[in-house]
Amino acid sequence: MGLKEQQNCPSQRKIAVFIVLAFIPFALFHLCFNNPFSTIDDTTLQDSAAHVVLTTSSSSSHEEETQESLDRVKEEEALCDYTKGKWVRDEMGPLYNGSTCGTIKDGQNCFRHGRPDSGYLYWKWKPNQCDIPRFDANRFLDLMRDKHLAFVGDSMARNQLESLMCLLSTVSSPDLVYRNGEDNKFRTWRFVSHNVTVSVYWSPFLVAGLEKSGTLDHNVLHLDRVDERWGNDLERFDTVVVSVGHWFLHPAVYHESGSVLGCHSCEASNCTEIGFFDVFRKAIRTTLKAVAGSRRHVILTTFSPSHFEGRPWDSLGACNMTEPYEEGKVLEGLDLEMRRIEMEEVTAAKAALEAVEVRLEALDVTAISVLRPDGHPGPYMYEFPFKNGVPETVHNDCLHWCLPGPVDTWNEIMIEMLRRWMV
């Protein structure tokens, strides 16, 4: 480059700087009066909205994942077979005792009647796949708020009912609002704190019938209709727990459709011996069909085994064990067959109820309970049976359960069933 051209460069630079400085005011003026963001068209807005939707979709996806997790938890709970497990030591012991609960039937108050051992109180059922929470009375009352729970059946239904009343009474005192029949066979309580009603209906066959008495040496059953003593009140129940079995072992004559169907242990009667297993099935079927008439929760507590172990009921030493059986004890004979019938009928009824808003489940306690020969009153069905020494014979109750005792576990399982239904 020549000397003359080098001398012209500063002048050119000055001109360029002047042009830039002159342009700046015009640019500022344009920015003030012409908003460049006004050029965003509808398409751009739609893209922005689409981004919001995408964010919402992401949140929805998270909610779906959360729901899937909850569903998996519920599925895992449903898959947990609480009938498979073992009794393990529980140092916490029962929530109540024979002195703190006023609804215990006298014959099941083992503590007050002088049973000397207390080890039977310190066991809990531990399923192999899950845990059963300790009974929460407040939780139960919350689940049943403004509802009517009815227990219908024989003395085992009453045993379970009285266990539940003792458990609930630890947090709320019930008012007895109705009582009728000898031996408190028909009673109703109300927990005012939660507006919960609990009733018990004596009905040892569930179906209509006459119980043997001084003038009648056998039972009479009508297998095609339920006992109206509870059937007439069925529409008042939100949840009903049915439980029968042992009364079917007694001599009986059976009727169906207005005719004599047959009998059981009826040598002196002029009718056909048909046993009681098929009759028991018919009674369960008739009952489940009746309770499915409208929306409610239905629980069938399965057959509760006795532990006379082949001994006469008045023999010394009947059901005198003080600890549970080991896991190897299995169901057999009467216990196995009665439970099988009940489980089959529940399964069949559930299949028939798919289109009806009824929740039906079996509270399967047979295998759990067969492991607890230590949980019965035995001779302590009466107060201090050995106060005058040891007699040659003594009456034993190896059928019902001490309160507190193993039957409390039934209600711990029941509250979990209700929770899954009502969540």
Side-chain angles (χ1 to χ4, degrees):
M1 179 181 294
L3 178 61
K4 185 177 180 178
E5 291 176 336
Q6 291 177 0
Q7 291 175 343
N8 290 334
C9 284
S11 300
Q12 293 175 354
R13 291 193 190 99
K14 290 179 181 179
I15 294 171
V17 170
F18 176 80
I19 292 172
V20 171
L21 291 174
F23 179 77
I24 288 175
F26 289 97
L28 293 174
F29 180 86
H30 183 76
L31 286 172
C32 292
F33 293 96
N34 295 277
N35 185 358
F37 298 104
S38 65
T39 61
I40 299 176
D41 58 15
D42 291 340
T43 303
T44 307
L45 289 173
Q46 288 173 1
D47 291 341
S48 177
H51 177 73
V52 173
V53 171
L54 181 62
T55 303
T56 304
S57 175
S58 175
S59 175
S60 175
S61 176
H62 175 70
E63 291 175 358
E64 289 176 0
E65 290 177 2
T66 303
Q67 184 59 46
E68 288 177 1
S69 298
L70 291 173
D71 290 342
R72 281 196 299 270
V73 170
K74 288 183 178 179
E75 183 178 359
E76 289 171 1
E77 288 180 341
L79 292 174
C80 175
D81 184 358
Y82 64 81
T83 65
K84 301 291 192 303
K86 61 182 179 181
W87 290 96
V88 298
R89 276 289 181 184
D90 177 21
E91 298 305 324
M92 295 184 68
L95 291 169
Y96 65 94
N97 60 51
S99 298
T100 60
C101 180
T103 57
I104 301 177
K105 180 178 170 61
D106 203 40
Q108 278 106 56
N109 200 331
C110 304
F111 173 79
R112 181 170 289 180
H113 282 187
R115 178 168 172 171
D117 64 303
S118 60
Y120 70 97
L121 298 172
Y122 294 91
W123 295 90
K124 67 178 180 181
W125 179 249
K126 175 63 178 72
N128 293 333
Q129 300 173 328
C130 58
D131 291 308
I132 299 174
R134 191 170 172 83
F135 189 89
D136 187 335
N138 282 312
R139 187 186 196 185
F140 189 94
L141 290 171
D142 284 338
L143 286 172
M144 297 303 298
R145 186 182 296 274
D146 301 323
K147 292 181 173 61
H148 188 167
L149 167 65
F151 287 80
V152 180
D154 57 18
S155 55
M156 300 313 302
R158 184 172 60 195
N159 207 176
Q160 184 182 354
L161 167 279
E162 290 174 347
S163 161
L164 179 65
M165 293 300 297
C166 289
L167 291 166
L168 296 180
S169 296
T170 60
V171 299
S172 181
S173 298
D175 295 328
L176 181 63
V177 296
Y178 177 78
R179 177 170 56 194
N180 189 24
E182 62 180 13
D183 203 21
N184 294 322
K185 290 182 176 178
F186 300 90
R187 286 174 291 172
T188 299
W189 295 265
R190 184 162 292 121
F191 291 87
V192 178
S193 60
H194 293 72
N195 192 31
V196 173
T197 302
V198 181
S199 299
V200 60
Y201 290 77
W202 171 259
S203 184
F205 316 115
L206 296 176
V207 294
L210 294 174
E211 300 164 34
K212 60 181 182 179
S213 61
T215 58
L216 187 66
D217 64 355
H218 61 272
N219 299 314
V220 178
L221 279 67
H222 297 272
L223 301 173
D224 49 2
R225 65 179 189 272
V226 298
D227 184 352
E228 63 182 20
R229 292 179 298 182
W230 66 269
N232 289 343
D233 290 346
L234 184 57
E235 295 306 314
R236 297 167 49 197
F237 306 155
D238 297 291
T239 301
V240 57
V241 181
V242 296
S243 176
V244 292
H246 290 277
W247 274 72
F248 285 83
L249 280 60
H250 300 312
V253 174
Y254 310 120
H255 296 256
E256 188 174 37
S257 301
S259 302
V260 175
L261 181 66
C263 63
H264 167 59
S265 295
C266 50
E267 292 83 359
S269 302
N270 187 22
C271 63
T272 305
E273 171 70 41
I274 62 173
F276 61 84
F277 285 126
D278 287 342
V279 168
F280 179 61
R281 182 185 295 277
K282 286 177 179 289
I284 296 297
R285 186 175 299 172
T286 297
T287 299
L288 296 182
K289 184 177 180 181
V291 296
S294 62
R295 182 176 183 175
R296 67 176 58 85
H297 296 135
V298 181
I299 296 172
L300 185 148
T301 303
T302 60
F303 190 73
S304 178
S306 64
H307 289 93
F308 291 98
E309 311 291 13
R311 299 187 183 97
W313 75 283
D314 59 351
S315 65
L316 190 64
C319 61
N320 63 349
M321 293 185 66
T322 57
E323 290 190 355
Y325 284 129
E326 297 295 330
E327 296 176 66
K329 178 72 173 177
V330 296
L331 291 178
E332 57 187 0
L334 175 69
D335 301 333
L336 179 65
E337 184 64 14
M338 296 292 271
R339 176 197 173 273
R340 183 182 68 82
I341 291 170
E342 290 173 316
M343 297 300 290
E344 288 177 354
E345 289 304 310
V346 167
T347 300
K350 287 174 66 175
L353 294 175
E354 287 184 344
V356 183
E357 293 184 352
V358 175
R359 298 299 300 265
L360 168 63
E361 293 291 345
L363 176 54
D364 187 4
V365 300
T366 310
I368 293 173
S369 303
V370 79
L371 298 174
R372 292 303 306 272
D374 58 322
H376 302 289
Y380 298 96
M381 62 183 295
Y382 297 115
E383 191 174 9
F384 297 99
F386 304 114
K387 62 182 177 182
N388 296 320
V390 180
E392 292 184 7
T393 61
V394 60
H395 295 169
N396 292 280
D397 182 355
C398 303
L399 171 61
H400 302 95
W401 302 98
C402 291
L403 293 177
V407 67
D408 295 328
T409 297
W410 301 5
N411 289 315
E412 289 181 334
I413 298 170
M414 185 173 73
I415 187 177
E416 293 305 300
M417 294 171 62
L418 293 172
R419 179 183 64 82
R420 293 174 193 176
W421 284 346
M422 297 180 182
V423 168

